[in-house]
Amino acid sequence: MNKSIFIIQKMDCPSEEQMIRMKLEPVDQVKHLEFDINRRKLEVYHTGNGDEIHRAISQLGLNDRLEETTEAVLPLPSDDSHQKKILWWVLGINFGFFLLEMTTGLISNSMGLIADSLDMLADAFVYALSLFAVGTSIGRKKRIAGISGYLQMGLALVGFAEVLRRFFSSTDMPLFEWMIFVSIFALAGNLISLWLINKAKTDEAHMQASAIFTSNDIIVNGGVILAGVLVYFLDSKWPDLIIGGIVFSFVMRGALRILKLSK
């Protein structure tokens, strides 16, 4: 048994981890994968010299390099039932706040809230993809990824179109009170999610990646709160449209990453 260590510079969220897992699943030499998202490191336990593994990873275009290959002992499998329960809770929180923010965003005429709701939905897609695809065939995983990615891309494009429409037409001012209060609740939801993930007390990659994703959401929540404050002080709809456009770009970026999983 050998262990090859790869440094993958563009591996910074669950999407890249899923891309690599699905790319390497058909490779018979691969016996176990260990990810370290924070250090952009992947450890592959495998038989043979690993050339096929290196070629497969390089095809993803994630700026990888092979650090070393050494003899190693295959790690014992771990019980991840507790981690799955936590991820189910995080998935529920994200989807629940998607519904809340989408509803209140439409009522309050806020593109910031609508965009943030779709960002929540994008996260829910990633968590659901990981949970629902467990134990299924590689073909089914790719179909799930493709459906999720195209749906998310469609939502992002509709959002961009609406931002442009409001930019070039006369529309009502967003209700800044709703923007601020609802985003505070969403912020609290993400803080609870982060607490649940950290409560698992594990260094495993998918939990680390979930923590990174949730931390990014907290920053987005803060951006919508700031936009609401600026709408009030500037008496202008532009801060809401600007933050909406920025968040929609995050949603589109996530959609493109998910679509790579279906290739």
Side-chain angles (χ1 to χ4, degrees), residues 86-256:
I86 290 176
L87 288 176
W88 272 112
W89 273 102
V90 174
L91 170 61
I93 291 172
N94 275 270
F95 189 74
F97 274 100
F98 154 69
L99 295 175
L100 174 64
E101 288 192 302
M102 177 60 73
T103 302
T104 55
L106 293 172
I107 294 173
S108 64
N109 200 39
S110 169
M111 289 307 300
L113 281 178
I114 293 173
D116 195 22
S117 75
L118 294 181
D119 188 50
M120 288 282 199
L121 182 61
D123 292 351
F125 279 153
V126 172
Y127 298 134
L129 183 62
S130 299
L131 289 167
F132 290 134
V134 171
T136 62
S137 67
I138 185 67
R140 179 174 174 80
K141 290 180 180 179
K142 288 184 176 182
R143 286 194 295 273
I144 294 173
I147 293 171
S148 299
Y150 281 118
L151 178 57
Q152 186 173 322
M153 179 180 288
L155 293 172
L157 290 174
V158 171
F160 279 128
E162 181 63 13
V163 168
L164 291 174
R165 186 190 72 79
R166 296 189 184 196
F167 185 84
F168 291 108
S169 63
S170 177
T171 56
D172 294 334
M173 284 277 291
L175 301 178
F176 70 89
E177 301 96 331
W178 286 77
M179 294 176 63
I180 294 173
F181 291 139
V182 174
S183 292
I184 288 175
F185 280 114
L187 177 63
N190 277 318
L191 287 172
I192 292 173
S193 296
L194 188 61
W195 175 75
L196 286 171
I197 293 169
N198 289 333
K199 187 180 177 181
K201 296 181 179 179
T202 176
D203 293 329
E204 292 191 33
H206 64 286
M207 299 300 286
Q208 292 183 24
S210 298
I212 293 171
F213 235 40
T214 304
S215 298
N216 291 337
D217 289 343
I218 291 172
I219 296 174
V220 171
N221 295 146
V224 178
I225 294 172
L226 176 61
V229 173
L230 292 176
V231 165
Y232 170 71
F233 281 107
L234 300 179
D235 193 26
S236 170
K237 64 181 180 181
W238 306 127
D240 178 56
L241 294 180
I242 291 171
I243 192 65
I246 291 173
V247 178
F248 278 129
S249 69
F250 292 160
V251 176
M252 178 62 74
R253 179 172 175 263
L256 294 174

Side-chain angles (χ1 to χ4, degrees), residues 11-30:
M11 183 177 69
D12 59 3
C13 78
S15 296
E16 284 85 19
E17 179 183 341
Q18 289 300 316
M19 287 168 58
I20 295 168
R21 286 187 182 277
M22 294 174 67
K23 188 69 174 179
L24 294 182
E25 185 171 350
V27 181
D28 293 334
Q29 291 179 330
V30 176

